[in-house]
Amino acid sequence: MKTAHDLVAEAKAQVPEIPLEQAEEALRKADVLIDVREADEYLAGHIPGAIHMSRGVLEFKLSGAPALASRDLKIVLYCKTSGRAALAARSLQAMGYLDVQSLAGGFDAWSAAGKPVASPQAPTFD
């Protein structure tokens, strides 16, 4: 019987991972950057420009988003450390998306490297 670790390892063997040192260039070239973490993780901080689609509903949200219907889109996915993103990327490949990558090390590696992090700003009432 396979474990979650086995499934992630298989996915990583089939999905290109972007090394952190190439991440900013890859993100500039991407058509869409998707954060597949949970909503509370995204709200605590995310890579600027990322849209949020939790791993559990990713396929449904993509299917319902006409702007993301083209299978030629350059898609970069990330999660906390890269496991969920690899699994999500495999799903997108199975859906016919042709150019799907995940960020090696995920958001943890990105933020640890001191790269920009966006988070919602609370409204001020001056």
Side-chain angles (χ1 to χ4, degrees):
M1 179 179 353
K2 292 183 182 181
T3 66
H5 178 74
D6 295 334
L7 295 174
V8 168
E10 286 176 6
K12 285 186 173 199
Q14 298 175 349
V15 173
E17 278 196 309
I18 302 164
L20 185 60
E21 55 274 2
Q22 296 172 11
E24 290 176 287
E25 180 182 348
L27 297 185
R28 278 192 297 277
K29 292 179 178 179
D31 294 312
V32 64
L33 172 63
I34 302 174
D35 184 326
V36 299
R37 299 176 301 156
E38 296 300 318
D40 60 330
E41 293 174 290
Y42 178 82
L43 291 172
H46 54 274
I47 297 174
I51 60 173
H52 179 252
M53 291 187 192
S54 295
R55 170 69 192 102
V57 296
L58 176 68
E59 297 84 354
F60 298 104
K61 286 201 172 202
L62 277 172
S63 293
L68 301 175
S70 173
R71 296 316 197 241
D72 292 328
L73 289 173
K74 291 180 182 174
I75 300 174
V76 175
L77 302 151
Y78 73 91
C79 63
K80 180 174 171 48
T81 59
S82 72
R84 287 176 284 179
L87 294 172
R90 280 297 296 138
S91 288
L92 296 189
Q93 288 174 337
M95 291 175 73
Y97 287 93
L98 302 171
D99 194 349
V100 181
Q101 298 176 301
S102 69
L103 179 61
F107 183 77
D108 283 359
W110 176 271
S111 61
K115 305 239 183 242
V117 173
S119 57
Q121 301 296 318
T124 59
F125 301 101
D126 295 335

